[in-house]
Amino acid sequence: MSKQTPEIPPKRPDESPKNDHDDAPEQPVETTALDKKPIIDDVSAEEVPATDISLISGGTKPRHYKADNPSFFMQRGYQVLLVLGLIAAFFLVMVYQTLFGRIEQPQQMVTIESGQTYYGLLPQWQQQIPLFSATIAKLYMKTQIDGPLHAGIYQLPENPTFAEALEVLGQGVKAAMVKVQIIEGKTSKDLYQALRDNKGIKKEVLTADSTNASIAQALDLVGILPDSVVNSNDAIVNHNLEGWFAPDTYYYGEGSTDKQVLTDLYKRQQQALTKAWENRDPDLPYDSPYEALVMASIIEKETSVAEERPLVSAVFSNRLNKNMRLQTDPTIIYGMGSRYEGNIRRQDIDEKTAYNTYQIDGLPPTPIALPSAASIEATLHPADSEALYFVATGNGGHKFTNSLNEHNQAVKEYLSVMRQKKAQKPPP
């Protein structure tokens, strides 16, 4: 028999299922009516300050001042003062470096050439002193220097400043200067005598009993000479410094020593020779700069015509390459020394000395004169010529020829010109 299913009463609309084990008291649910406004305290909304978002987020914003805000002008004023201060500090550093920055160099003699200016000295200082200002230096010179830069030789102290150098060089305007003139083609003996005779030059090296050896040792120039010159038994050859002094006209402060002058002239000649040797033509018959100096002295004695020097150089270079003797008269004269009386005789040509290139092969042992820089250049840059001979024309200059027959004819022409001139010359 079937049981009757009990009836379950229907749920009320406002009832909800409840867990049997949930004994917690029922919590009220907060609700807010949509049509109601939130309750605000009695404080007016206008009096509540706005929240600064940057304070919440931790971010920062630059402050912006209005143009009429005093803080704005203070901030700008500090910036301007800072910039001006930096500029002033930089300018002071430039002034100090320009006038008192030191060049690292030992105490040395400096030669100022005729025509040089104070402004011409600035590039050297600009290269060696950081922040050196030519403008500041020029302003300083205008206020401190009364006259032009005077030619002469000056002794600068060790590690000088620009201001110290100007003080030394400025003395040249007031100091008495002495002239030393050495003509191209003159000999070292002529130079020594000129310095001995110059009353404005003190004598340290060129004493009454000085010799080639003592002069070379006093100037510390023995090392520049070949062993064959240093150890020679020939009085003319031994320690002979011929050729090593640059001929020119110089001005030195009164009281300068002969050692200072000779050292200065040596340095000039050495620099000219080194520069020319480094830029020499290829395939020249010279094994050393000293041999080139020897040849330059011969060229200097053979011609005084500037445009002929490369041709004379070519003749001697060609002869050496062909193992021909140089056969040049000035070498005979130099080898005769004090015995030369103005004329070359047949017996002089036939006499074998260390210098007579009619009797010896190759170059003489030392130079025979003080060659100019132009003759040194011509030696190391001969003309493109096959000439092997040259002889004077009698009217100035020389005639260059490639063969002996042409040379002999040129000699006849020279003798004819000289006879004509002699015939035209009135008797004394």
Side-chain angles (χ1 to χ4, degrees):
M1 162 171 203
S2 61
K3 277 186 179 183
Q4 184 176 0
T5 303
E7 293 182 0
I8 298 175
K11 293 182 180 180
R12 296 179 182 179
D14 55 348
E15 289 183 351
S16 57
K18 184 178 179 182
N19 293 333
D20 295 337
H21 60 275
D22 190 359
D23 296 331
E26 184 176 345
Q27 297 293 330
V29 178
E30 293 184 2
T31 59
T32 302
L34 297 177
D35 56 345
K36 291 183 180 181
K37 295 181 180 179
I39 298 175
I40 302 176
D41 293 339
D42 294 335
V43 181
S44 174
E46 294 180 357
E47 296 178 359
V48 177
T51 303
D52 190 345
I53 303 301
S54 64
L55 297 178
I56 300 174
S57 61
T60 59
K61 289 183 178 181
R63 291 188 177 184
H64 298 284
Y65 297 101
K66 296 181 180 179
D68 59 351
N69 191 325
S71 298
F72 171 82
F73 292 106
M74 291 179 62
Q75 184 183 42
R76 291 299 183 189
Y78 290 146
Q79 291 175 348
V80 171
L81 289 175
L82 178 60
V83 171
L84 292 177
L86 292 175
I87 293 174
F90 182 75
F91 178 76
L92 291 175
V93 171
M94 288 183 65
V95 171
Y96 181 85
Q97 284 293 94
T98 299
L99 302 181
F100 305 109
R102 296 187 178 276
I103 286 183
E104 294 186 5
Q105 65 181 29
Q107 177 179 317
Q108 60 180 327
M109 305 302 298
V110 175
T111 300
I112 301 299
E113 304 286 355
S114 178
Q116 279 189 274
T117 66
Y118 283 104
Y119 288 172
L121 304 175
L122 297 181
Q124 176 189 0
W125 295 83
Q126 285 181 303
Q127 292 175 2
Q128 300 187 47
I129 296 183
L131 299 180
F132 184 94
S133 170
T135 301
I136 295 174
K138 289 178 181 179
L139 291 174
Y140 182 79
M141 287 188 288
K142 287 181 178 180
T143 61
Q144 300 297 319
I145 304 298
D146 297 330
L149 183 59
H150 203 71
I153 184 169
Y154 302 85
Q155 180 169 306
L156 293 183
E158 181 181 4
N159 301 333
T161 67
F162 184 71
E164 291 172 346
L166 285 185
E167 183 178 359
V168 173
L169 297 176
Q171 297 302 315
V173 179
K174 305 174 184 178
M177 307 301 289
V178 294
K179 180 180 181 180
V180 177
Q181 184 176 31
I182 306 301
I183 301 174
E184 299 166 350
K186 291 293 185 177
T187 65
S188 58
K189 184 178 179 181
D190 297 325
L191 170 60
Y192 299 157
Q193 192 59 47
L195 293 178
R196 288 190 178 101
D197 295 341
N198 195 316
K199 296 181 180 180
I201 301 296
K202 291 183 180 180
K203 313 305 182 294
E204 287 185 1
V205 175
L206 303 174
T207 59
D209 57 349
S210 60
T211 62
N212 285 342
S214 66
I215 294 172
Q217 290 171 357
L219 298 177
D220 195 23
L221 299 181
V222 177
I224 68 172
L225 299 173
D227 291 341
S228 58
V229 175
V230 174
N231 300 320
S232 175
N233 293 324
D234 190 313
I236 298 178
V237 178
N238 187 270
H239 285 88
N240 192 343
L241 293 174
E242 190 66 79
W244 275 117
F245 305 107
D248 207 336
T249 301
Y250 305 95
Y251 292 89
Y252 295 92
E254 187 173 356
S256 298
T257 67
D258 54 1
K259 182 176 182 179
Q260 292 172 346
V261 175
L262 292 173
T263 300
D264 178 50
L265 301 190
Y266 162 73
K267 289 181 178 179
R268 292 172 178 271
Q269 193 75 316
Q270 195 268 344
Q271 290 172 358
L273 179 60
T274 300
K275 180 180 178 180
W277 180 259
E278 290 175 349
N279 297 287
R280 67 189 183 279
D281 287 350
D283 302 324
L284 295 176
Y286 313 115
D287 295 330
S288 67
Y290 188 73
E291 289 188 358
L293 188 66
V294 174
M295 177 53 69
S297 70
I298 297 175
I299 294 173
E300 191 70 63
K301 294 296 293 184
E302 281 287 5
T303 182
S304 59
V305 182
E307 55 268 24
E308 283 190 350
R309 289 189 179 109
L311 280 169
V312 174
S313 175
V315 169
F316 289 134
S317 178
N318 293 338
R319 293 180 73 90
L320 288 173
N321 284 329
K322 292 179 178 294
N323 294 319
M324 297 173 65
R325 286 179 174 173
L326 296 179
Q327 295 183 331
T328 170
D329 292 352
T331 61
I332 298 176
I333 296 171
Y334 194 87
M336 292 175 65
S338 59
R339 295 186 293 112
Y340 177 66
E341 297 178 350
N343 293 311
I344 298 177
R345 302 162 294 182
R346 170 52 60 181
Q347 65 187 53
D348 299 327
I349 296 175
D350 294 338
E351 180 186 12
K352 186 172 184 179
T353 69
Y355 291 88
N356 187 350
T357 53
Y358 283 85
Q359 302 298 324
I360 65 172
D361 297 328
L363 295 166
T366 73
I368 63 171
L370 302 177
S372 62
S375 290
I376 294 174
E377 286 289 337
T379 298
L380 297 170
H381 300 282
D384 185 9
S385 172
E386 296 180 358
L388 293 171
Y389 305 90
F390 64 94
V391 66
T393 62
N395 294 313
H398 296 81
K399 184 173 183 178
F400 296 83
T401 53
N402 297 355
S403 67
L404 182 58
N405 289 335
E406 293 174 333
H407 175 66
N408 289 335
Q409 180 60 37
V411 171
K412 291 179 182 180
E413 293 172 1
Y414 164 75
L415 294 175
S416 175
V417 169
M418 297 306 293
R419 284 193 295 265
Q420 292 175 9
K421 287 186 174 183
K422 186 175 181 180
Q424 294 172 358
K425 186 178 181 179

